[in-house]
Amino acid sequence: MTSGRSIGNLALIGFMGSGKSSVGRLAADVLHFTFLDTDRVIEARAGTTISEIFSQQGEPAFRDWERRIVEELTRRSKTVIATGGGLPANEANLLSLKTHALVVCLWASPEVIFERVRHHNHRPLLTEPEPLDKIRLLLSVREPYYRQADVLVNTERRSLKEVAAQVVHQFHLAQTAHP
């Protein structure tokens, strides 16, 4: 972590199905922070779903929404932020998050991710003919960005509560190191 950093927020990054929203809500409760899911903010502001943004306006429009939300997050404190899975693949987004938040990547294998999300019909990725292959491909592309997180937490074979406790512990350690 960069010295001199002010860590007032906690940002969770990782692939869909890694547990960012569920763990984020639990961590926010423990920390007495506000919980913010970037995808839900985008949907509320756009007045439509992520799937519809992708199909009607394309991925670049969605990524622009993400960029604008990330920019706004620099003015927040005491917030647990759950990001969209592709958000950290924009280097500027990741750097921005690191200016004010401990960035924690929640990690799971492609097979575990597929098992967790395969019945979710709101995920555009799952409409692919071979969704597991697409998950593997996207995960391999995004992994270098995910690995730039301050902390990497494996979520496999752990309950959401255990993962949230680990994330909160890492946040407290970071705050002690960077008050």
Side-chain angles (χ1 to χ4, degrees), residues 25-41:
R25 282 186 192 89
L26 290 171
D29 285 347
V30 170
L31 293 167
H32 305 290
F33 280 16
T34 302
F35 174 74
L36 184 146
D37 183 314
T38 60
D39 283 351
R40 301 299 75 82
V41 172

Side-chain angles (χ1 to χ4, degrees), residues 92-153:
N93 286 342
L94 194 55
L95 290 172
S96 179
L97 288 173
K98 284 187 169 189
T99 65
H100 60 87
L102 178 72
V103 178
V104 176
C105 177
L106 301 184
W107 183 264
S109 70
E111 295 75 19
V112 167
I113 288 168
F114 180 68
E115 282 305 310
R116 289 178 180 170
V117 302
R118 67 187 188 143
H119 299 297
H120 298 181
N121 57 9
H122 66 283
R123 309 260 191 195
L125 179 60
L126 299 178
T127 62
E128 295 281 328
E130 298 293 334
L132 181 56
D133 289 343
K134 186 66 173 187
I135 290 169
R136 284 186 181 118
L137 174 66
L138 282 174
L139 199 52
S140 71
V141 168
R142 293 176 183 173
E143 183 176 1
Y145 301 100
Y146 293 159
R147 290 200 174 276
Q148 292 178 49
D150 298 310
V151 179
L152 186 68
V153 176

Side-chain angles (χ1 to χ4, degrees), residues 1-2 4-13 33 36 38 66-83 87 92-104 150 171 174-175 178-179:
M1 281 186 282
T2 310
R5 227 169 112 182
S6 177
I7 298 176
N9 298 310
L10 174 61
L12 301 177
I13 66 171
F33 280 16
L36 184 146
T38 60
E66 282 184 328
R67 181 194 54 74
R68 286 185 274 155
I69 299 301
V70 166
E71 194 176 286
E72 291 175 23
L73 294 173
T74 61
R75 298 184 288 279
R76 293 190 68 105
S77 62
K78 295 188 175 189
T79 303
V80 174
I81 304 155
T83 68
L87 185 143
N93 286 342
L94 194 55
L95 290 172
S96 179
L97 288 173
K98 284 187 169 189
T99 65
H100 60 87
L102 178 72
V103 178
V104 176
D150 298 310
F171 181 75
Q175 283 201 308
H178 301 278

Side-chain angles (χ1 to χ4, degrees), residues 53-64:
I53 293 171
F54 267 81
S55 68
Q56 295 170 4
Q57 302 169 34
E59 184 175 355
F62 175 73
R63 298 300 173 202
D64 188 55

